[in-house]
Amino acid sequence: SITLSSSRLPYAGAVEGMMPTLFGLVSKTNKTPITSLAFLGSCAFLCVWPSNIGNLIQYVGFLSWIFWGLCFVAVIVLRFKMPDIQRPFKIPLVVPVLAALTSLYLIVGSVYANPLISGLWLIAALLSVPVYYGYVDNEKMCQRWMDKLTNILLHYLEAAEQKQ
């Protein structure tokens, strides 16, 4: 279920212009983000293939808690840096503090329990940063070949590109 719901993340990034338009392709018949689903399915397969499903579960949990923890810390930081900003709702500060501490506990526990696997997954996640900036930077280094690949997939997958 995570793969099906998470497939909307690269799709939304593509529609917003933060990821290659390749991930914004949807099936004409089912209206599902087929290239995004294929990408996430391929990533899951590559993560499970050399080891086992337990490592994939640890990877998802480990990195998810890192990013959730960053979100909780962002709430705390913004509360102090922009105290007067309009918010749809305001929660007591103790909630994001406890959530950030909980995520830190889970991250440290994961590293302590299996430092090699956690370190490998962290390195794998950090390797995606240059790829992201290779696409999003001002010069759009990856834009030309991504556009060609997108046009090929539009034809062969019988997909439709979502316009922004």
mmCIF file of all heavy atoms in Angstrom, residues 45-86:
data_model
loop_
_atom_site.group_PDB
_atom_site.id
_atom_site.type_symbol
_atom_site.label_atom_id
_atom_site.label_comp_id
_atom_site.label_asym_id
_atom_site.label_seq_id
_atom_site.Cartn_x
_atom_site.Cartn_y
_atom_site.Cartn_z
ATOM 1 N N PHE A 45 12.398 -3.331 -5.843
ATOM 2 C CA PHE A 45 13.012 -4.580 -6.292
ATOM 3 C C PHE A 45 14.522 -4.548 -6.106
ATOM 4 O O PHE A 45 15.117 -5.511 -5.614
ATOM 5 C CB PHE A 45 12.669 -4.839 -7.759
ATOM 6 C CG PHE A 45 13.384 -6.030 -8.322
ATOM 7 C CD1 PHE A 45 12.983 -7.317 -7.992
ATOM 8 C CD2 PHE A 45 14.472 -5.865 -9.158
ATOM 9 C CE1 PHE A 45 13.660 -8.423 -8.496
ATOM 10 C CE2 PHE A 45 15.151 -6.963 -9.666
ATOM 11 C CZ PHE A 45 14.747 -8.242 -9.336
ATOM 12 N N LEU A 46 15.149 -3.436 -6.480
ATOM 13 C CA LEU A 46 16.606 -3.324 -6.333
ATOM 14 C C LEU A 46 17.033 -3.364 -4.866
ATOM 15 O O LEU A 46 18.117 -3.853 -4.544
ATOM 16 C CB LEU A 46 17.111 -2.050 -6.997
ATOM 17 C CG LEU A 46 17.072 -2.055 -8.523
ATOM 18 C CD1 LEU A 46 17.450 -0.681 -9.069
ATOM 19 C CD2 LEU A 46 17.977 -3.134 -9.085
ATOM 20 N N CYS A 47 16.185 -2.856 -3.990
ATOM 21 C CA CYS A 47 16.518 -2.880 -2.559
ATOM 22 C C CYS A 47 16.376 -4.284 -1.971
ATOM 23 O O CYS A 47 17.125 -4.666 -1.081
ATOM 24 C CB CYS A 47 15.609 -1.922 -1.792
ATOM 25 S SG CYS A 47 15.931 -0.191 -2.140
ATOM 26 N N VAL A 48 15.420 -5.059 -2.465
ATOM 27 C CA VAL A 48 15.172 -6.392 -1.916
ATOM 28 C C VAL A 48 16.054 -7.443 -2.582
ATOM 29 O O VAL A 48 16.479 -8.397 -1.933
ATOM 30 C CB VAL A 48 13.681 -6.769 -2.088
ATOM 31 C CG1 VAL A 48 13.425 -8.207 -1.706
ATOM 32 C CG2 VAL A 48 12.820 -5.859 -1.252
ATOM 33 N N TRP A 49 16.361 -7.263 -3.839
ATOM 34 C CA TRP A 49 17.064 -8.295 -4.609
ATOM 35 C C TRP A 49 18.352 -8.787 -3.965
ATOM 36 O O TRP A 49 18.533 -9.993 -3.809
ATOM 37 C CB TRP A 49 17.292 -7.775 -6.028
ATOM 38 C CG TRP A 49 18.023 -8.711 -6.911
ATOM 39 C CD1 TRP A 49 17.747 -10.039 -7.129
ATOM 40 C CD2 TRP A 49 19.160 -8.411 -7.701
ATOM 41 N NE1 TRP A 49 18.639 -10.566 -8.009
ATOM 42 C CE2 TRP A 49 19.527 -9.589 -8.382
ATOM 43 C CE3 TRP A 49 19.907 -7.270 -7.912
ATOM 44 C CZ2 TRP A 49 20.598 -9.640 -9.243
ATOM 45 C CZ3 TRP A 49 20.969 -7.334 -8.784
ATOM 46 C CH2 TRP A 49 21.303 -8.506 -9.433
ATOM 47 N N PRO A 50 19.293 -7.907 -3.553
ATOM 48 C CA PRO A 50 20.537 -8.447 -3.001
ATOM 49 C C PRO A 50 20.411 -8.950 -1.563
ATOM 50 O O PRO A 50 21.344 -9.554 -1.051
ATOM 51 C CB PRO A 50 21.495 -7.261 -3.072
ATOM 52 C CG PRO A 50 20.628 -6.063 -3.022
ATOM 53 C CD PRO A 50 19.351 -6.462 -3.672
ATOM 54 N N SER A 51 19.308 -8.699 -0.895
ATOM 55 C CA SER A 51 19.222 -9.102 0.510
ATOM 56 C C SER A 51 17.860 -9.729 0.789
ATOM 57 O O SER A 51 17.512 -10.730 0.209
ATOM 58 C CB SER A 51 19.483 -7.896 1.409
ATOM 59 O OG SER A 51 18.542 -6.874 1.166
ATOM 60 N N ASN A 52 17.085 -9.105 1.678
ATOM 61 C CA ASN A 52 15.782 -9.661 2.026
ATOM 62 C C ASN A 52 14.799 -8.533 2.323
ATOM 63 O O ASN A 52 15.165 -7.367 2.386
ATOM 64 C CB ASN A 52 15.899 -10.618 3.223
ATOM 65 C CG ASN A 52 16.470 -9.927 4.437
ATOM 66 O OD1 ASN A 52 16.203 -8.754 4.687
ATOM 67 N ND2 ASN A 52 17.263 -10.650 5.209
ATOM 68 N N ILE A 53 13.573 -8.897 2.544
ATOM 69 C CA ILE A 53 12.513 -7.912 2.770
ATOM 70 C C ILE A 53 12.730 -7.159 4.080
ATOM 71 O O ILE A 53 12.338 -6.000 4.210
ATOM 72 C CB ILE A 53 11.118 -8.579 2.724
ATOM 73 C CG1 ILE A 53 9.995 -7.529 2.651
ATOM 74 C CG2 ILE A 53 10.901 -9.472 3.920
ATOM 75 C CD1 ILE A 53 9.883 -6.843 1.347
ATOM 76 N N GLY A 54 13.386 -7.772 5.038
ATOM 77 C CA GLY A 54 13.658 -7.122 6.322
ATOM 78 C C GLY A 54 14.511 -5.873 6.151
ATOM 79 O O GLY A 54 14.286 -4.858 6.820
ATOM 80 N N ASN A 55 15.499 -5.951 5.254
ATOM 81 C CA ASN A 55 16.334 -4.772 5.003
ATOM 82 C C ASN A 55 15.536 -3.653 4.347
ATOM 83 O O ASN A 55 15.764 -2.477 4.624
ATOM 84 C CB ASN A 55 17.532 -5.145 4.135
ATOM 85 C CG ASN A 55 18.554 -5.955 4.889
ATOM 86 O OD1 ASN A 55 18.532 -6.000 6.112
ATOM 87 N ND2 ASN A 55 19.439 -6.601 4.168
ATOM 88 N N LEU A 56 14.611 -4.016 3.459
ATOM 89 C CA LEU A 56 13.763 -2.992 2.836
ATOM 90 C C LEU A 56 12.874 -2.323 3.879
ATOM 91 O O LEU A 56 12.719 -1.105 3.882
ATOM 92 C CB LEU A 56 12.908 -3.595 1.722
ATOM 93 C CG LEU A 56 11.963 -2.628 1.015
ATOM 94 C CD1 LEU A 56 12.753 -1.533 0.295
ATOM 95 C CD2 LEU A 56 11.073 -3.361 0.041
ATOM 96 N N ILE A 57 12.324 -3.110 4.776
ATOM 97 C CA ILE A 57 11.479 -2.553 5.838
ATOM 98 C C ILE A 57 12.307 -1.635 6.729
ATOM 99 O O ILE A 57 11.859 -0.545 7.105
ATOM 100 C CB ILE A 57 10.813 -3.684 6.647
ATOM 101 C CG1 ILE A 57 9.790 -4.409 5.766
ATOM 102 C CG2 ILE A 57 10.165 -3.155 7.913
ATOM 103 C CD1 ILE A 57 9.268 -5.696 6.348
ATOM 104 N N GLN A 58 13.532 -2.052 7.056
ATOM 105 C CA GLN A 58 14.386 -1.196 7.879
ATOM 106 C C GLN A 58 14.728 0.088 7.130
ATOM 107 O O GLN A 58 14.732 1.172 7.717
ATOM 108 C CB GLN A 58 15.666 -1.913 8.278
ATOM 109 C CG GLN A 58 16.536 -1.055 9.161
ATOM 110 C CD GLN A 58 17.785 -1.756 9.633
ATOM 111 O OE1 GLN A 58 17.995 -2.925 9.367
ATOM 112 N NE2 GLN A 58 18.616 -1.027 10.341
ATOM 113 N N TYR A 59 15.000 -0.010 5.847
ATOM 114 C CA TYR A 59 15.323 1.167 5.031
ATOM 115 C C TYR A 59 14.172 2.160 5.029
ATOM 116 O O TYR A 59 14.365 3.346 5.279
ATOM 117 C CB TYR A 59 15.648 0.716 3.608
ATOM 118 C CG TYR A 59 15.535 1.783 2.566
ATOM 119 C CD1 TYR A 59 16.423 2.850 2.549
ATOM 120 C CD2 TYR A 59 14.553 1.740 1.602
ATOM 121 C CE1 TYR A 59 16.336 3.835 1.587
ATOM 122 C CE2 TYR A 59 14.451 2.715 0.637
ATOM 123 C CZ TYR A 59 15.352 3.764 0.637
ATOM 124 O OH TYR A 59 15.244 4.734 -0.306
ATOM 125 N N VAL A 60 12.983 1.659 4.762
ATOM 126 C CA VAL A 60 11.821 2.553 4.708
ATOM 127 C C VAL A 60 11.589 3.199 6.065
ATOM 128 O O VAL A 60 11.376 4.408 6.164
ATOM 129 C CB VAL A 60 10.568 1.788 4.221
ATOM 130 C CG1 VAL A 60 9.318 2.623 4.385
ATOM 131 C CG2 VAL A 60 10.737 1.372 2.765
ATOM 132 N N GLY A 61 11.661 2.413 7.121
ATOM 133 C CA GLY A 61 11.458 2.967 8.456
ATOM 134 C C GLY A 61 12.546 3.952 8.844
ATOM 135 O O GLY A 61 12.258 5.048 9.349
ATOM 136 N N PHE A 62 13.779 3.603 8.572
ATOM 137 C CA PHE A 62 14.919 4.445 8.939
ATOM 138 C C PHE A 62 14.843 5.805 8.237
ATOM 139 O O PHE A 62 14.877 6.858 8.882
ATOM 140 C CB PHE A 62 16.210 3.705 8.579
ATOM 141 C CG PHE A 62 17.468 4.493 8.815
ATOM 142 C CD1 PHE A 62 17.875 4.809 10.096
ATOM 143 C CD2 PHE A 62 18.255 4.898 7.755
ATOM 144 C CE1 PHE A 62 19.040 5.523 10.323
ATOM 145 C CE2 PHE A 62 19.425 5.608 7.961
ATOM 146 C CZ PHE A 62 19.813 5.916 9.244
ATOM 147 N N LEU A 63 14.722 5.783 6.915
ATOM 148 C CA LEU A 63 14.683 7.061 6.189
ATOM 149 C C LEU A 63 13.385 7.836 6.427
ATOM 150 O O LEU A 63 13.394 9.059 6.460
ATOM 151 C CB LEU A 63 14.911 6.828 4.697
ATOM 152 C CG LEU A 63 16.333 6.455 4.323
ATOM 153 C CD1 LEU A 63 16.470 6.252 2.825
ATOM 154 C CD2 LEU A 63 17.333 7.491 4.786
ATOM 155 N N SER A 64 12.290 7.120 6.603
ATOM 156 C CA SER A 64 11.028 7.808 6.891
ATOM 157 C C SER A 64 11.132 8.585 8.198
ATOM 158 O O SER A 64 10.702 9.736 8.282
ATOM 159 C CB SER A 64 9.873 6.813 6.987
ATOM 160 O OG SER A 64 9.625 6.231 5.745
ATOM 161 N N TRP A 65 11.725 7.962 9.220
ATOM 162 C CA TRP A 65 11.849 8.655 10.496
ATOM 163 C C TRP A 65 12.832 9.816 10.421
ATOM 164 O O TRP A 65 12.664 10.819 11.121
ATOM 165 C CB TRP A 65 12.204 7.698 11.626
ATOM 166 C CG TRP A 65 10.972 7.002 12.100
ATOM 167 C CD1 TRP A 65 10.651 5.697 11.931
ATOM 168 C CD2 TRP A 65 9.868 7.610 12.763
ATOM 169 N NE1 TRP A 65 9.413 5.444 12.454
ATOM 170 C CE2 TRP A 65 8.907 6.602 12.977
ATOM 171 C CE3 TRP A 65 9.581 8.895 13.194
ATOM 172 C CZ2 TRP A 65 7.694 6.852 13.609
ATOM 173 C CZ3 TRP A 65 8.374 9.142 13.835
ATOM 174 C CH2 TRP A 65 7.449 8.128 14.025
ATOM 175 N N ILE A 66 13.837 9.721 9.558
ATOM 176 C CA ILE A 66 14.734 10.865 9.372
ATOM 177 C C ILE A 66 13.943 12.044 8.815
ATOM 178 O O ILE A 66 14.022 13.165 9.326
ATOM 179 C CB ILE A 66 15.911 10.507 8.445
ATOM 180 C CG1 ILE A 66 16.905 9.602 9.173
ATOM 181 C CG2 ILE A 66 16.619 11.766 7.947
ATOM 182 C CD1 ILE A 66 18.037 9.093 8.308
ATOM 183 N N PHE A 67 13.155 11.798 7.783
ATOM 184 C CA PHE A 67 12.416 12.904 7.164
ATOM 185 C C PHE A 67 11.263 13.387 8.029
ATOM 186 O O PHE A 67 10.979 14.585 8.068
ATOM 187 C CB PHE A 67 11.969 12.516 5.756
ATOM 188 C CG PHE A 67 13.124 12.416 4.812
ATOM 189 C CD1 PHE A 67 13.559 11.196 4.333
ATOM 190 C CD2 PHE A 67 13.830 13.552 4.441
ATOM 191 C CE1 PHE A 67 14.648 11.112 3.487
ATOM 192 C CE2 PHE A 67 14.921 13.481 3.593
ATOM 193 C CZ PHE A 67 15.330 12.253 3.111
ATOM 194 N N TRP A 68 10.602 12.476 8.750
ATOM 195 C CA TRP A 68 9.568 12.929 9.691
ATOM 196 C C TRP A 68 10.201 13.779 10.788
ATOM 197 O O TRP A 68 9.654 14.815 11.177
ATOM 198 C CB TRP A 68 8.829 11.734 10.309
ATOM 199 C CG TRP A 68 7.749 11.195 9.438
ATOM 200 C CD1 TRP A 68 7.727 9.974 8.823
ATOM 201 C CD2 TRP A 68 6.540 11.847 9.063
ATOM 202 N NE1 TRP A 68 6.579 9.844 8.097
ATOM 203 C CE2 TRP A 68 5.830 10.981 8.232
ATOM 204 C CE3 TRP A 68 5.989 13.094 9.348
ATOM 205 C CZ2 TRP A 68 4.591 11.302 7.683
ATOM 206 C CZ3 TRP A 68 4.764 13.422 8.797
ATOM 207 C CH2 TRP A 68 4.076 12.532 7.979
ATOM 208 N N GLY A 69 11.347 13.349 11.276
ATOM 209 C CA GLY A 69 12.054 14.127 12.298
ATOM 210 C C GLY A 69 12.407 15.518 11.803
ATOM 211 O O GLY A 69 12.277 16.501 12.540
ATOM 212 N N LEU A 70 12.861 15.613 10.546
ATOM 213 C CA LEU A 70 13.155 16.935 9.980
ATOM 214 C C LEU A 70 11.904 17.802 9.898
ATOM 215 O O LEU A 70 11.964 19.012 10.117
ATOM 216 C CB LEU A 70 13.797 16.778 8.596
ATOM 217 C CG LEU A 70 15.216 16.209 8.584
ATOM 218 C CD1 LEU A 70 15.659 15.915 7.161
ATOM 219 C CD2 LEU A 70 16.179 17.159 9.271
ATOM 220 N N CYS A 71 10.778 17.182 9.587
ATOM 221 C CA CYS A 71 9.509 17.945 9.566
ATOM 222 C C CYS A 71 9.152 18.461 10.951
ATOM 223 O O CYS A 71 8.729 19.613 11.103
ATOM 224 C CB CYS A 71 8.374 17.070 9.035
ATOM 225 S SG CYS A 71 8.496 16.674 7.292
ATOM 226 N N PHE A 72 9.321 17.625 11.965
ATOM 227 C CA PHE A 72 9.011 18.052 13.329
ATOM 228 C C PHE A 72 9.933 19.189 13.776
ATOM 229 O O PHE A 72 9.494 20.153 14.407
ATOM 230 C CB PHE A 72 9.111 16.878 14.307
ATOM 231 C CG PHE A 72 8.188 15.729 13.978
ATOM 232 C CD1 PHE A 72 8.631 14.429 14.069
ATOM 233 C CD2 PHE A 72 6.884 15.956 13.570
ATOM 234 C CE1 PHE A 72 7.791 13.366 13.768
ATOM 235 C CE2 PHE A 72 6.030 14.910 13.269
ATOM 236 C CZ PHE A 72 6.488 13.607 13.364
ATOM 237 N N VAL A 73 11.210 19.068 13.428
ATOM 238 C CA VAL A 73 12.163 20.131 13.775
ATOM 239 C C VAL A 73 11.806 21.417 13.030
ATOM 240 O O VAL A 73 11.915 22.515 13.585
ATOM 241 C CB VAL A 73 13.607 19.674 13.475
ATOM 242 C CG1 VAL A 73 14.588 20.825 13.582
ATOM 243 C CG2 VAL A 73 14.003 18.559 14.437
ATOM 244 N N ALA A 74 11.351 21.297 11.783
ATOM 245 C CA ALA A 74 10.958 22.481 11.014
ATOM 246 C C ALA A 74 9.798 23.220 11.686
ATOM 247 O O ALA A 74 9.767 24.453 11.702
ATOM 248 C CB ALA A 74 10.574 22.089 9.596
ATOM 249 N N VAL A 75 8.859 22.475 12.263
ATOM 250 C CA VAL A 75 7.746 23.109 12.979
ATOM 251 C C VAL A 75 8.280 23.921 14.158
ATOM 252 O O VAL A 75 7.862 25.063 14.392
ATOM 253 C CB VAL A 75 6.723 22.051 13.455
ATOM 254 C CG1 VAL A 75 5.702 22.662 14.407
ATOM 255 C CG2 VAL A 75 6.035 21.409 12.267
ATOM 256 N N ILE A 76 9.224 23.339 14.885
ATOM 257 C CA ILE A 76 9.805 24.034 16.041
ATOM 258 C C ILE A 76 10.564 25.278 15.594
ATOM 259 O O ILE A 76 10.408 26.365 16.165
ATOM 260 C CB ILE A 76 10.731 23.072 16.821
ATOM 261 C CG1 ILE A 76 9.929 21.888 17.365
ATOM 262 C CG2 ILE A 76 11.444 23.802 17.944
ATOM 263 C CD1 ILE A 76 10.779 20.725 17.842
ATOM 264 N N VAL A 77 11.391 25.141 14.564
ATOM 265 C CA VAL A 77 12.184 26.270 14.065
ATOM 266 C C VAL A 77 11.277 27.389 13.573
ATOM 267 O O VAL A 77 11.479 28.574 13.894
ATOM 268 C CB VAL A 77 13.160 25.808 12.963
ATOM 269 C CG1 VAL A 77 13.790 26.984 12.250
ATOM 270 C CG2 VAL A 77 14.233 24.915 13.559
ATOM 271 N N LEU A 78 10.276 27.040 12.797
ATOM 272 C CA LEU A 78 9.372 28.066 12.265
ATOM 273 C C LEU A 78 8.569 28.744 13.367
ATOM 274 O O LEU A 78 8.209 29.920 13.234
ATOM 275 C CB LEU A 78 8.431 27.467 11.220
ATOM 276 C CG LEU A 78 9.082 27.118 9.887
ATOM 277 C CD1 LEU A 78 8.087 26.404 8.975
ATOM 278 C CD2 LEU A 78 9.621 28.363 9.210
ATOM 279 N N ARG A 79 8.289 28.040 14.436
ATOM 280 C CA ARG A 79 7.554 28.643 15.550
ATOM 281 C C ARG A 79 8.340 29.810 16.132
ATOM 282 O O ARG A 79 7.763 30.812 16.546
ATOM 283 C CB ARG A 79 7.295 27.576 16.615
ATOM 284 C CG ARG A 79 6.519 28.039 17.812
ATOM 285 C CD ARG A 79 5.049 28.331 17.521
ATOM 286 N NE ARG A 79 4.314 27.186 17.091
ATOM 287 C CZ ARG A 79 3.674 26.354 17.888
ATOM 288 N NH1 ARG A 79 3.694 26.547 19.181
ATOM 289 N NH2 ARG A 79 3.020 25.336 17.390
ATOM 290 N N PHE A 80 9.682 29.691 16.139
ATOM 291 C CA PHE A 80 10.501 30.757 16.703
ATOM 292 C C PHE A 80 10.944 31.782 15.656
ATOM 293 O O PHE A 80 11.044 32.967 15.957
ATOM 294 C CB PHE A 80 11.737 30.169 17.412
ATOM 295 C CG PHE A 80 11.367 29.446 18.680
ATOM 296 C CD1 PHE A 80 11.347 28.064 18.711
ATOM 297 C CD2 PHE A 80 11.025 30.142 19.820
ATOM 298 C CE1 PHE A 80 10.995 27.391 19.867
ATOM 299 C CE2 PHE A 80 10.671 29.485 20.978
ATOM 300 C CZ PHE A 80 10.651 28.104 21.009
ATOM 301 N N LYS A 81 11.217 31.337 14.435
ATOM 302 C CA LYS A 81 11.692 32.268 13.409
ATOM 303 C C LYS A 81 10.564 33.107 12.818
ATOM 304 O O LYS A 81 10.795 34.229 12.387
ATOM 305 C CB LYS A 81 12.405 31.513 12.290
ATOM 306 C CG LYS A 81 13.779 31.048 12.690
ATOM 307 C CD LYS A 81 14.588 30.774 11.449
ATOM 308 C CE LYS A 81 16.004 30.528 11.884
ATOM 309 N NZ LYS A 81 16.961 31.202 11.073
ATOM 310 N N MET A 82 9.376 32.546 12.742
ATOM 311 C CA MET A 82 8.223 33.252 12.169
ATOM 312 C C MET A 82 7.016 33.094 13.093
ATOM 313 O O MET A 82 6.033 32.451 12.734
ATOM 314 C CB MET A 82 7.896 32.694 10.784
ATOM 315 C CG MET A 82 8.992 32.829 9.789
ATOM 316 S SD MET A 82 8.447 32.084 8.240
ATOM 317 C CE MET A 82 9.863 32.416 7.225
ATOM 318 N N PRO A 83 7.081 33.694 14.269
ATOM 319 C CA PRO A 83 6.007 33.476 15.233
ATOM 320 C C PRO A 83 4.669 34.088 14.825
ATOM 321 O O PRO A 83 3.617 33.615 15.265
ATOM 322 C CB PRO A 83 6.535 34.136 16.515
ATOM 323 C CG PRO A 83 7.531 35.128 16.040
ATOM 324 C CD PRO A 83 8.115 34.569 14.783
ATOM 325 N N ASP A 84 4.677 35.107 13.983
ATOM 326 C CA ASP A 84 3.429 35.796 13.635
ATOM 327 C C ASP A 84 2.824 35.343 12.313
ATOM 328 O O ASP A 84 1.831 35.914 11.865
ATOM 329 C CB ASP A 84 3.683 37.311 13.579
ATOM 330 C CG ASP A 84 4.136 37.842 14.927
ATOM 331 O OD1 ASP A 84 3.683 37.304 15.956
ATOM 332 O OD2 ASP A 84 4.958 38.779 14.942
ATOM 333 N N ILE A 85 3.392 34.333 11.682
ATOM 334 C CA ILE A 85 2.882 33.881 10.393
ATOM 335 C C ILE A 85 1.499 33.242 10.565
ATOM 336 O O ILE A 85 1.208 32.628 11.597
ATOM 337 C CB ILE A 85 3.878 32.901 9.731
ATOM 338 C CG1 ILE A 85 3.526 32.691 8.264
ATOM 339 C CG2 ILE A 85 3.883 31.575 10.447
ATOM 340 C CD1 ILE A 85 4.596 31.952 7.491
ATOM 341 N N GLN A 86 0.645 33.420 9.567
ATOM 342 C CA GLN A 86 -0.700 32.844 9.601
ATOM 343 C C GLN A 86 -0.604 31.321 9.465
ATOM 344 O O GLN A 86 0.022 30.809 8.552
ATOM 345 C CB GLN A 86 -1.533 33.425 8.455
ATOM 346 C CG GLN A 86 -2.925 32.881 8.366
ATOM 347 C CD GLN A 86 -3.794 33.271 9.550
ATOM 348 O OE1 GLN A 86 -3.592 34.311 10.154
ATOM 349 N NE2 GLN A 86 -4.741 32.435 9.887
#
